Amino acid sequence: MKFCRFELLEDPGTPRTGIAYEGRIFETDGTNSIGVHEAMEIRLLPPIGRPGTVRLFRPGELAFDYNNPQVVFGPNETLLMPPHAERIGLLPALAIVVGGAGAQIPVAQADDVVLGACLANVFTTLRDHGGRAFDVGTAIGPAITTPD
């Protein structure tokens, strides 16, 4: 399944949730079906609101960097160039969305807390000394795909 958040173009500012399937969005409140919308009737939002934390795991390592959860944005939003940035870098990633209490989880139980995955593009500032700042922005979405 592909979960998404969106707003209707005719009703901007009201976040809604649904399931994306074959080019349509099936709106739901989590229990009941509300309606069916064509893709051109909606604007996609980040598939999750503002996450509590964002961690960027390095491929092949157990180490991670913290990312600013306030800079997560959706597929249709514009990233503004920060005034201090000379160059912007891009790190494509796969975002794993953890549901419930996702802290200090033993590896054997990790599959039990994974809600799904979505695409992420992490925008970073590149610094002359080789460092990166991960607080520019992280685009996620457009949908969370469940493990099934």
Side-chain angles (χ1 to χ4, degrees), residues 31-102:
T31 304
N32 302 305
S33 175
I34 295 175
V36 180
H37 308 286
E38 298 296 327
M40 62 188 126
E41 299 173 345
I42 67 155
R43 184 175 86 83
L44 289 169
L45 301 172
I48 55 176
R50 293 287 178 224
T53 62
V54 177
R55 292 185 179 96
L56 305 171
F57 289 86
R58 299 178 199 144
E61 300 179 31
L62 292 177
F64 62 87
D65 297 303
Y66 286 99
N67 193 337
N68 181 351
Q70 297 302 313
V71 297
V72 172
F73 62 99
N76 292 329
E77 295 179 87
T78 302
L79 173 67
L80 300 176
M81 180 75 133
H84 66 280
E86 295 177 17
R87 297 181 295 156
I88 296 288
L90 177 66
L91 297 172
L94 181 64
I96 303 300
V97 180
V98 176

Side-chain angles (χ1 to χ4, degrees), residues 102-121:
Q104 304 298 321
I105 302 163
V107 173
Q109 297 173 356
D111 288 343
D112 297 338
V113 298
V114 171
L115 175 65
C118 63
L119 299 176
N121 285 312

